[in-house]
Amino acid sequence: MNTDPGNPIYREDDKRDYILGHFSQALDERWIEVYYQPIMRAMTGLICNEEALARWVDPVNGMILPEEFIPVIEDAKLLHKLDLYMIDLVLSDIRKYQDGKIVQVVPISVNVSKYDFEYCDMVSEILKRVEAAGVSPKYLVIEIAESVLELEHDFIKEQLNKLQSRGFKIWMDDFGRGYGSLNVLQDFDFDLIKLDMKFMKDFSKKVKTAGIIRKIVEMAEQLGVDTLAEGVETEEQLEFLREIGCDKVQGFLYSKPNPLNEILKRSDMGIGLYRENIEESEFYDQVGQASLTDLELNGDAGMLVAETFAGIGIGILEFDGVETYRLMRANAVYKEYLETIYGRNIKVSDVITYTDKDRKRIFDESVRRCLKSGNWETAYDIVSTDKVKFNTNIRLFSRDKVTGNYAILIVMVSEKRVEGEGSDRFSDTLKEDTSLNPPSFENVVPPVEDIDLQSEKEALERNNVLDSAIIRIAKLLNTFEDYNETMNRVLEELGSVISPDRICIFERVGDKINNPFELCRKGIISQKEYTQNLEYNKYFKLWADLSVDGRAVNLDSISRIRVSYRDVYCQLKLMGVKRIIVVPVFSKDEVIGFIAAANYRLDESDDTEFLLSSVAVFLSYKIANSTLVHRLVYMADNDALTSAHNRYAMIKKEAELAAGEGCVGVGFIDINGLKEINDNLGHDEGDLLIIRASKLIAKHFGMEHLYRVGGDEFVVLAPDMEKYVFERKQYQFRQELEDNDKVSMASGFVWIPDRRKVSEAIKTADRLMYEDKAKFYIAHDRRRSQKEYV
């Protein structure tokens, strides 16, 4: 802003009055313009996004800076009008140029404040404007300030989920500025966090800053969240961010914010920054999600090299499918290895060329094997010395659907550590002994047999193999042998003809997935512990929903469900799954189980899908019978109405406790007024009252400790619960009961240090409950309206 003392708005009060008095005019006459600052993808140096920033270009006073007019508008509760205005301008620009003929449009982030959600229906306003503009949601990124999350938790989470479900990416701005940033990541599913600019300002001043940034990026990788660093101004900062795996960068190193006409002018002159094709963003996003520090996050990489030394080299090369390799990402160890081999400084985007023809041939052969199988292959004679052998383990990580190029994950490990004095550094080891002799030793992972289906004869033989396997499996499933043994033999038969990392069979029992069976390929660690007792609706229902007419669901990349099914995506990523085929198993139109193959070979995709789909038909009868047995066992110990344990289960538990040692908390609870509800409103209403009561008790004491022992009576048996914990739960239960106008209960509680006296404790709790019930009926005449009990 013009700061000349003669300027009519030089004084603070006058400035505020001028801004508020001319705000509407500034919107109507477009004095407030959009300036775009590029956001660069760290690994490519291409513009992958832009941030839309407001600039007030006043016809009288010149440029009014954002830090001058935005706080004034915010104080006046008018910020939502500015934000919607900015969205309108951005959508207009996108619509005008999205055909790509003049400039390649990238997704643009717009800032949204908490006032947008307080003073208007922001989600509806965004959806309405995007639809009217005819713009895909993928072009508009919603960037929210941490202050938005000060609003009511469930409300704002619902609002953000609505936007994500419609295809919008949600970014969190200024991560690290507030003290609640870590809690925010736990409660909300952001697509990207934007590191506060102070981190880059302190980068060269404070020693700890680099370590903090590194840990934030590592944490984000583990959560499947992208990262962006603001305020990048030096090449040193950029190289550091690339090394630790920061996905995107923004700052004056590349460009200050500029108006659109300036950007178009530079583009027309051929001097502007190059832009990313939005169709390639999925490919680059996947590569950016690879961890260069925690191998477990890359799927089976951690399983492959779990016994190797800590100084492990990890990188990603882009391969054009012919002969050219380009470095996309590298950690410090792999970068050092490359620089030692080539004797020069290696940077991201550099072309990598193997000068030794024999080593080039061996590396190329391994790459082409992994492109065919989709699994790990080993180029094990790239470099070796008398002291150490370096294996290059390779697998296909992703593919660019626009260019057809491949992203190849490289994991460089030593077969053994260098003993005695010396260093574990690649460069020191190679300098000590430069005699590179091709070694002869076994692969880290046994090579998967290549299958060539090109000829008609081989295809016929393959079909015979599959048909024979299906027949053997069908016979197995029609025997009366032990159920668990049969299921494991079925998996073994499947594993004899297809070679995914793991094949699994799951049973559905009610709302849970139980009793999973698993077969792992050699070298792959079991993940069975992650699939025990999972909620059906949360983790498995999607496979039934995605299935068309009960057919197989084939995901060639789990990233396809990253937004729509976030919990499942994170669970699969944790288990090292990159791609998966899942077939629902039905019995009378009800889903009773699933059969799945994780990380199947790419050249076996059709065979794997056909085989699993065929076997699912025969599995149906076997699982249905097993499920029936599970249900009968469940019904023997559980109440059908409330899912609490029943009286028979309580008698068994009482005897078990009486024979043991330790403390136990006991509660006896009775519903008030159930008979009147049944007599006057019917048993359906009475059943609803019982269900409400059981849920309230279970909320505080846990369903595992709850027993329904009569029509309106419940018992709580909580072994090994400390006295203070049990008493706190009593207090919280009674407090909520006082505020509940839908259910009334009488209760009695006892805690004893010696569980052998549990029977006496139950009688004491029963007596205390009746004393409490007497107080209720003294205060409530039985002849009063039933509304007082419900």
Side-chain angles (χ1 to χ4, degrees):
M1 179 184 289
N2 183 358
T3 57
D4 182 345
N7 189 321
I9 60 168
Y10 176 68
R11 295 185 302 276
E12 286 298 321
D13 290 343
D14 292 337
K15 177 173 67 177
R16 177 182 176 84
D17 291 342
Y18 182 86
I19 290 171
L20 292 178
H22 292 80
F23 177 60
S24 294
Q25 185 180 7
L27 298 183
D28 293 339
E29 300 187 18
R30 301 285 181 92
W31 296 351
I32 298 178
E33 301 179 9
V34 180
Y35 275 48
Y36 295 102
Q37 184 172 29
I39 296 170
M40 317 300 292
R41 194 176 296 277
M43 79 176 79
T44 63
L46 300 176
I47 299 176
C48 57
N49 295 90
E50 289 176 309
E51 181 178 7
L53 301 166
R55 296 292 184 266
W56 185 324
V57 185
D58 194 87
V60 176
N61 300 289
M63 179 71 75
I64 303 178
L65 299 175
E67 54 266 31
E68 294 178 312
F69 72 85
I70 288 182
V72 175
I73 295 171
E74 185 174 354
D75 288 343
K77 315 300 184 191
L78 297 172
L79 196 53
H80 65 287
K81 293 188 176 183
L82 174 63
D83 289 342
L84 289 174
Y85 168 84
M86 290 290 291
I87 290 174
D88 285 335
L89 294 186
V90 168
L91 289 173
S92 176
D93 288 342
I94 293 173
R95 180 176 55 189
K96 187 182 299 183
Y97 298 106
Q98 67 180 340
D99 61 6
K101 293 180 180 179
I102 297 177
V103 66
Q104 185 73 49
V105 176
V106 296
I108 298 172
S109 69
V110 292
N111 293 281
V112 173
S113 75
K114 71 175 184 179
Y115 300 105
D116 298 338
F117 295 95
E118 289 183 330
Y119 294 103
C120 69
D121 185 349
M122 193 59 177
V123 172
S124 295
E125 292 292 339
I126 291 173
L127 296 177
K128 178 176 65 177
R129 283 166 162 77
V130 169
E131 183 177 354
V135 169
S136 169
K138 69 182 180 181
Y139 285 105
L140 194 68
V141 175
I142 309 301
E143 189 172 325
I144 68 168
E146 192 174 17
S147 61
V148 171
L149 307 178
E150 297 171 1
L151 301 174
E152 200 276 321
H153 178 277
D154 291 340
F155 166 75
I156 199 63
K157 188 168 186 176
E158 179 188 12
Q159 298 297 298
L160 298 182
N161 286 343
K162 281 182 181 179
L163 289 169
Q164 284 181 314
S165 67
R166 296 293 291 268
F168 295 92
K169 295 287 182 70
I170 306 293
W171 293 2
M172 180 185 174
D173 195 13
D174 297 330
F175 181 84
R177 175 179 293 180
Y179 292 103
S181 295
L182 294 179
N183 291 331
V184 161
L185 288 185
Q186 178 177 300
D187 295 338
F188 297 91
D189 294 326
F190 292 105
D191 296 287
L192 177 145
I193 56 173
K194 203 170 183 181
L195 277 62
D196 189 71
M197 198 175 296
K198 70 177 182 181
F199 288 114
M200 287 298 103
K201 288 182 178 178
D202 295 340
F203 183 77
S204 59
K205 301 175 184 177
K206 298 181 180 179
V207 177
K208 294 181 180 179
T209 300
I212 293 172
I213 297 172
R214 186 187 298 274
K215 289 302 179 184
I216 291 175
V217 172
E218 288 179 9
M219 176 187 63
E221 282 180 346
Q222 292 174 348
L223 297 174
V225 178
D226 292 338
T227 47
L228 187 160
E230 286 186 281
V232 178
E233 297 184 356
T234 69
E235 288 287 346
E236 178 190 8
Q237 293 172 344
L238 176 62
E239 285 305 308
F240 168 76
L241 293 167
R242 280 174 168 170
E243 179 190 313
I244 65 173
C246 184
D247 300 287
K248 301 177 181 182
V249 295
Q250 179 180 1
F252 286 179
L253 176 64
Y254 289 101
S255 175
K256 69 180 191 309
N258 286 299
L260 181 59
N261 59 355
E262 181 65 25
I263 294 171
L264 294 175
K265 180 180 177 182
R266 288 173 174 267
S267 177
D268 186 53
M269 295 172 62
I271 60 174
L273 297 167
Y274 291 102
R275 292 168 169 263
E276 183 176 288
N277 183 338
I278 194 172
E279 299 302 323
E280 294 184 85
S281 61
E282 181 181 350
F283 169 69
Y284 289 122
D285 284 343
Q286 289 176 358
V287 173
Q289 288 161 17
S291 175
L292 302 184
T293 55
D294 187 347
L295 291 172
E296 295 294 343
L297 297 182
N298 295 333
D300 48 9
M303 303 165 199
L304 177 74
V305 295
E307 303 302 322
T308 60
F309 77 110
I312 195 167
I314 309 174
I316 297 182
L317 300 179
E318 184 175 14
F319 177 47
D320 65 359
V322 183
E323 61 179 6
T324 302
Y325 296 91
R326 183 177 65 84
L327 183 63
M328 301 186 78
R329 295 185 61 195
N331 68 1
V333 178
Y334 186 61
K335 188 170 181 289
E336 180 188 4
Y337 162 75
L338 292 175
E339 291 177 346
T340 302
I341 291 295
Y342 295 108
R344 62 182 175 87
N345 184 37
I346 300 290
K347 291 186 176 181
V348 170
S349 296
D350 281 2
V351 172
I352 306 298
T353 305
Y354 286 91
T355 54
D356 185 296
K357 291 183 179 179
D358 188 52
R359 292 207 301 276
K360 181 179 188 300
R361 176 184 60 78
I362 295 166
F363 183 81
D364 278 347
E365 287 177 358
S366 302
V367 169
R368 295 180 192 283
R369 286 201 307 272
C370 91
L371 295 184
K372 189 173 185 179
S373 71
N375 294 326
W376 284 103
E377 299 292 344
T378 305
Y380 52 86
D381 53 356
I382 294 295
V383 174
S384 67
T385 76
D386 291 340
K387 294 184 177 181
V388 67
K389 299 170 182 177
F390 295 117
N391 300 331
T392 301
N393 301 292
I394 307 162
R395 80 162 163 85
L396 174 64
F397 195 80
S398 184
R399 189 176 188 186
D400 189 334
K401 62 184 179 182
V402 176
T403 65
N405 289 357
Y406 303 92
I408 309 296
L409 177 64
I410 308 293
V411 179
M412 195 90 185
V413 299
S414 65
E415 190 185 52
K416 63 178 181 178
R417 299 189 71 162
V418 181
E419 298 178 357
E421 295 182 0
S423 170
D424 285 332
R425 290 165 56 90
F426 281 113
S427 56
D428 292 343
T429 302
L430 296 179
K431 287 173 184 175
E432 290 174 9
D433 187 345
T434 56
S435 58
L436 304 180
N437 301 312
S440 176
F441 55 92
E442 294 182 359
N443 290 355
V444 175
V445 176
V448 181
E449 181 183 357
D450 288 334
I451 301 173
D452 188 353
L453 302 178
Q454 294 180 3
S455 72
E456 185 176 342
K457 179 181 178 181
E458 289 176 337
L460 182 60
E461 290 175 353
R462 179 63 175 165
N463 289 338
N464 288 337
V465 168
L466 296 175
D467 291 342
S468 297
I470 292 170
I471 292 170
R472 291 195 302 273
I473 291 170
K475 288 180 179 179
L476 275 174
L477 291 170
N478 279 287
T479 64
F480 293 96
E481 295 182 5
D482 178 76
Y483 176 76
N484 290 348
E485 182 180 340
T486 299
M487 287 303 197
N488 287 323
R489 288 183 62 190
V490 167
L491 292 178
E492 290 172 4
E493 286 287 354
L494 289 169
S496 70
V497 290
I498 56 175
S499 49
D501 279 0
R502 61 177 56 88
I503 312 171
C504 302
I505 297 173
F506 304 98
E507 294 179 29
R508 178 189 176 191
V509 181
D511 60 354
K512 298 287 186 180
I513 294 294
N514 289 313
N515 199 26
F517 298 88
E518 179 190 59
L519 178 72
C520 294
R521 183 167 64 86
K522 186 176 180 180
I524 301 301
I525 296 174
S526 171
Q527 301 290 308
K528 193 173 180 178
E529 62 178 296
Y530 294 114
T531 58
Q532 296 278 9
N533 202 35
L534 291 176
E535 295 179 27
Y536 170 75
N537 287 334
K538 186 174 183 179
Y539 292 105
F540 278 84
K541 186 175 181 294
L542 82 151
W543 305 116
D545 293 341
L546 294 174
S547 174
V548 178
D549 298 328
R551 293 197 291 270
V553 180
N554 190 338
L555 289 183
D556 57 3
S557 171
I558 65 167
S559 62
R560 300 185 185 280
I561 60 171
R562 182 183 178 191
V563 174
S564 301
Y565 302 97
R566 184 86 175 196
D567 289 334
V568 179
Y569 168 80
C570 291
Q571 180 77 6
L572 292 175
K573 189 170 183 181
L574 176 68
M575 295 170 61
V577 177
K578 303 182 292 292
R579 53 187 176 276
I580 190 169
I581 295 174
V582 182
V583 183
V585 178
F586 289 89
S587 176
K588 298 180 180 178
D589 297 326
E590 179 186 5
V591 175
I592 60 171
F594 299 88
I595 182 169
N599 299 341
Y600 53 87
R601 283 177 58 106
L602 295 176
D603 54 354
E604 289 182 350
S605 177
D606 292 342
D607 289 350
T608 302
E609 184 174 330
F610 168 73
L611 197 57
L612 297 189
S613 298
S614 301
V615 171
V617 176
F618 299 104
L619 276 175
S620 175
Y621 175 76
K622 203 74 174 180
I623 293 180
N625 282 346
S626 173
T627 303
L628 179 60
V629 171
H630 286 305
R631 286 178 177 173
L632 291 174
V633 172
Y634 178 83
M635 290 171 63
D637 285 337
N638 291 81
D639 174 52
L641 180 63
T642 64
S643 296
H645 301 300
N646 57 23
R647 186 177 189 84
Y648 173 69
M650 191 206 78
I651 292 171
K652 290 195 298 182
K653 190 67 176 180
E654 183 180 351
E656 176 191 321
L657 293 172
E661 295 181 355
C663 62
V664 63
V666 178
F668 212 109
I669 303 167
D670 185 274
I671 302 173
N672 293 323
L674 178 62
K675 185 177 184 305
E676 287 83 352
I677 295 296
N678 286 333
D679 291 345
N680 294 283
L681 300 179
H683 285 278
D684 287 344
E685 287 297 320
D687 286 348
L688 287 176
L689 183 60
I690 294 170
I691 292 170
R692 288 193 196 107
S694 67
K695 286 183 177 180
L696 182 57
I697 302 169
K699 175 182 176 182
H700 292 279
F701 296 97
M703 188 63 80
E704 70 273 18
H705 297 143
L706 183 61
Y707 300 80
R708 185 183 177 201
V709 296
D712 55 3
E713 293 179 332
F714 294 89
V715 168
V716 171
L717 296 176
D720 300 319
M721 187 176 288
E722 295 292 337
K723 184 177 181 180
Y724 78 93
V725 175
F726 189 65
E727 290 178 345
R728 186 178 71 240
K729 289 181 179 292
Q730 292 176 46
Y731 174 77
Q732 292 171 341
F733 167 71
R734 283 173 164 155
Q735 284 294 111
E736 183 167 350
L737 197 58
E738 285 182 11
D739 298 332
N740 194 310
D741 61 354
K742 294 190 182 230
V743 61
S744 173
M745 288 181 276
S747 60
F749 294 98
V750 177
W751 182 90
I752 56 173
D754 184 359
R755 66 174 62 175
R756 289 175 296 182
K757 298 179 181 179
V758 65
S759 298
E760 296 175 21
I762 293 174
K763 291 177 183 177
T764 302
D766 187 20
R767 177 176 55 78
L768 293 173
M769 180 274 293
Y770 273 108
E771 290 177 5
D772 190 41
K773 183 176 280 288
K775 296 176 185 177
F776 170 81
Y777 282 116
I778 290 173
H780 297 75
D781 190 325
R782 284 178 174 273
R783 293 171 296 177
R784 295 175 67 181
S785 167
Q786 307 305 322
K787 291 182 181 179
E788 296 196 343
Y789 303 117
V790 184

